[in-house]
Amino acid sequence: MLLTSLQSRVNTKLHGSIDDNTIPRNDPHQSYMKTFLERLEEPKPMIYDGGFGSQLFEKGIELANSALANELYPQTVIDIHLSYINAGADAIGTNTFVVSPLHLEMAGKSASDADQLVTAAVQHAKAAIEKSGRDVYIAGSIGPSPGAIEADSGDTDFGIPNVDVRDAHERIISALAEGGADFFCIETMFSAKEAAIAVDVARRVGIPIAVNLTYKYTKDRRTGEIIYKTDWGHSAANLLEILSGGEFSDGRNLLDDVHLVGLNCGAETRRSEHSGMPYAINGVHQTRIAMERNGSEPKRIMAYPNAGMPQLDENHRTYYSQAPEEMVSHLPELIDAGAYILGGCCGTTPDHVKAFRQAVDNHSS
């Protein structure tokens, strides 16, 4: 019901009555900015933001659930967003990665708390954009459920019931749309099946959708081919098959509703050659090949890896192996591989994003 009521308001935002492809912008000399869909038509790559939870840790904020910072540390959330915008991000993700009722329950919160936290998260993103004076898109971050889902485990004894997963995504997606997100960023998905459930919910709103899985290194023993797969064994090819198969959407081909596919994070701890930027480059190659083999309409590709491998310093604090200089040295190759929205995940900082911004501007000039 709520998703249906939102759809007309979202359509007005996407195809506004003032101009078919414009939305309000901050530039006082121009009254409107391009919609996210129109921006995707431009050739120049976009810059996404960097790690959020790792920035909270850097500021000494450690919570049972990082979404609680939206209420407990609102100014810090705004400041983190603003630091990425000032560094040159074209889009920022809301602090809602683990705001799902399934996650909040583990932190002693109720499902109703999710609505308030999402509303606050979008407001904080808007406040940072307003303060910056720049035109920046808001990505509504939608993370995975806390564990295997029924569709992957085979039952509800070991997996979270599919209906609970769908209900949780519907609650978050509705609140993100109501708050004013420009697109949905379904991210760090270990299950392509859960991604399909989230897409089926999100497509009913009408806001553009990005889907990002997080992969690990695997190798085909027979052919020797390196294939990135999620913890639940899903490759980029599997993602396209599951989205188009219609199992979780009453037969509907969900690829028609997705605007970007890609990857983020990356959890390698022993293979530096498949961590950080090299992971992103290989993952983009595999995603592009999967789309070509699938025969579906090409999608823009999104990639925002960790800043390399997590390590511990002498004080037992986590740091990441790839500094801005190292990550940015790989950026031209990442763009040439086919990535369109570029950013960072765990361990990446505003300094990384600033380096990405400069590299993209130089690459496109």
Side-chain angles (χ1 to χ4, degrees):
M1 181 72 71
L2 179 55
L3 287 174
T4 302
S5 67
L6 283 171
Q7 199 160 14
S8 62
R9 294 199 292 277
V10 170
N11 286 337
T12 299
K13 179 180 180 181
L14 290 174
H15 311 290
S17 58
I18 297 175
D19 185 275
D20 286 344
N21 289 300
T22 56
I23 55 179
R25 63 184 292 151
N26 285 311
D27 187 343
H29 303 293
Q30 288 183 280
S31 299
Y32 298 94
M33 68 180 284
K34 294 174 181 176
T35 66
F36 182 71
L37 285 179
E38 189 173 26
R39 178 61 179 84
L40 290 182
E41 296 297 320
E42 295 187 0
K44 185 176 181 178
M46 296 176 64
I47 299 296
Y48 199 50
D49 62 10
F52 203 94
S54 54
Q55 284 293 288
L56 287 173
F57 291 148
E58 185 70 21
K59 297 179 185 303
I61 297 174
E62 299 186 22
L63 301 167
N65 184 302
S66 59
L68 299 179
N70 294 317
E71 287 187 346
L72 298 175
Y73 301 95
Q75 190 58 52
T76 302
V77 172
I78 294 170
D79 290 344
I80 292 172
H81 285 315
L82 184 60
S83 67
Y84 282 123
I85 295 170
N86 289 339
D90 296 308
I92 56 173
T94 56
N95 182 33
T96 52
F97 178 69
V98 285
V99 79
S100 162
L102 299 172
H103 284 280
L104 290 177
E105 182 181 3
M106 299 169 65
K109 295 291 184 177
S110 66
S112 61
D113 292 317
D115 301 332
Q116 297 174 355
L117 289 169
V118 173
T119 298
V122 180
Q123 288 176 344
H124 297 334
K126 288 182 175 180
I129 293 171
E130 181 72 21
K131 188 173 182 179
S132 75
R134 291 189 56 226
D135 296 322
V136 177
Y137 299 99
I138 297 174
S141 171
I142 301 164
S145 297
I149 68 172
E150 177 186 354
D152 289 309
S153 66
D155 56 44
T156 56
D157 291 332
F158 297 97
I160 303 170
N162 291 346
V163 64
D164 291 350
V165 172
R166 182 176 287 271
D167 287 347
H169 283 308
E170 181 165 345
R171 184 161 207 146
I172 302 312
I173 285 167
S174 296
L176 286 169
E178 182 72 23
D182 294 297
F183 68 104
F184 295 124
C185 186
I186 299 168
E187 59 180 338
T188 324
M189 285 285 157
F190 304 102
S191 168
K193 295 180 179 180
E194 180 174 5
I197 291 172
V199 171
D200 188 49
V201 174
R203 58 100 179 169
R204 300 168 192 269
V205 177
I207 290 175
I209 301 169
V211 181
N212 296 285
L213 269 59
T214 185
Y215 299 108
K216 288 184 177 179
Y217 169 99
T218 69
K219 189 173 184 178
D220 188 311
R221 292 182 179 179
R222 181 176 58 85
T223 66
E225 181 183 11
I226 294 171
I227 304 173
Y228 285 175
K229 293 185 178 181
T230 70
D231 282 341
W232 308 144
H234 297 148
S235 66
N238 295 142
L239 172 64
L240 300 181
E241 292 167 1
I242 290 169
L243 287 174
S244 61
E247 179 182 355
F248 303 98
S249 53
D250 295 326
R252 181 186 179 95
N253 181 352
L254 292 174
L255 276 178
D256 295 337
D257 303 294
V258 172
H259 299 83
L260 299 113
V261 294
L263 67 157
N264 73 296
C265 203
E268 289 296 337
T269 56
R270 293 186 299 273
R271 297 181 179 274
S272 61
E273 73 276 20
H274 293 284
S275 181
M277 275 296 186
Y279 155 80
I281 292 166
N282 281 310
V284 168
H285 275 301
Q286 292 187 22
T287 300
R288 194 187 70 248
I289 291 170
M291 285 193 289
E292 292 171 355
R293 291 176 178 174
N294 180 271
S296 58
E297 181 182 351
K299 309 289 182 184
R300 290 293 196 184
I301 298 178
M302 189 171 183
Y304 50 116
N306 288 351
M309 300 171 69
Q311 300 175 355
L312 291 176
D313 64 17
E314 63 275 10
N315 297 316
H316 300 285
R317 291 183 63 86
T318 300
Y319 72 97
Y320 286 79
S321 61
Q322 292 183 12
E325 296 78 15
E326 180 176 355
M327 290 193 81
V328 78
S329 70
H330 295 281
L331 208 68
E333 187 178 357
L334 182 62
I335 295 172
D336 292 341
Y340 181 78
I341 296 185
L342 322 160
C345 201
C346 304
T348 53
T349 67
D351 287 339
H352 288 81
V353 170
K354 183 177 180 179
F356 297 166
R357 172 82 275 159
Q358 293 172 345
V360 165
D361 290 344
N362 292 337
H363 187 275
S364 303
S365 60

